[in-house]
Amino acid sequence: MKNEEKVSFEEKDITEIVRLKKDFIPKSREEEILILQKDTENFDNTAEYLKPLIKTALSLFDMENNVYEMLYGKLLQDVKLAAKMFLGHDDSMSASYGFYLYYSWYISSEIDEAVKKGHKISRKTPI
């Protein structure tokens, strides 16, 4: 039996892991943690990875374009804060869920906050 050489996550280039796709495709928990740990100070790669998730989540709601742009910008800005919080908590680092699921809470809370501030946002009806 031939031994296959495995490439560790540490040896992978982060840009290989973070591939821009039109649709959000979650990475494995290990890949997400690697992205977070090896990312820039502003978590630029993590933000790129989450852009499709943010766009998909916001597309589930009807809202004015300016509200969409405001939420999209705020959510991209919050990636840095969320990443630092995730990396800084032992519970997050040992949990079975990935960062994208953790970040989904931010998306939900920002939508709720925008509604509380009086922005008209409604869930689109399924087709």
Side-chain angles (χ1 to χ4, degrees):
M1 184 180 283
K2 186 177 178 181
N3 286 338
E4 291 184 58
E5 187 178 334
K6 292 186 177 181
V7 177
S8 71
F9 288 115
E10 290 76 26
E11 295 171 5
K12 285 186 177 180
D13 182 2
I14 291 176
T15 56
E16 177 186 336
I17 296 171
V18 179
R19 294 187 190 122
L20 293 177
K21 303 258 184 190
K22 183 176 179 178
D23 297 322
F24 179 72
I25 300 172
K27 303 295 181 194
S28 71
R29 178 173 164 73
E30 292 80 15
E31 288 175 317
E32 285 187 335
I33 290 173
L34 177 64
I35 293 167
L36 290 165
Q37 291 175 335
K38 302 276 184 177
D39 210 345
T40 65
E41 182 179 324
N42 289 321
F43 294 92
D44 297 318
N45 292 311
T46 304
E48 284 299 315
Y49 164 62
L50 292 176
K51 277 182 179 180
L53 174 66
I54 295 167
K55 289 177 181 177
T56 299
L58 294 178
S59 75
L60 299 173
F61 296 88
D62 283 320
M63 64 187 86
E64 292 181 2
N65 193 46
N66 65 327
V67 175
Y68 175 93
E69 293 298 326
M70 180 265 306
L71 282 171
Y72 183 74
K74 174 84 171 89
L75 289 166
L76 280 179
Q77 199 173 26
D78 283 352
V79 169
K80 180 178 178 180
L81 174 65
K84 286 183 176 185
M85 290 176 64
F86 186 86
L87 290 171
H89 287 99
D90 290 336
D91 292 343
S92 298
M93 293 303 290
S94 63
S96 60
Y97 55 84
F99 181 70
Y100 81 91
L101 192 57
Y102 177 86
Y103 192 73
S104 296
W105 173 81
Y106 277 86
I107 296 172
S108 175
S109 66
E110 285 301 321
I111 292 170
D112 288 345
E113 204 52 41
V115 170
K116 287 178 188 175
K117 289 180 179 177
H119 295 289
K120 292 183 181 182
I121 300 173
S122 60
R123 180 112 175 136
K124 289 182 179 176
T125 54
I127 296 175

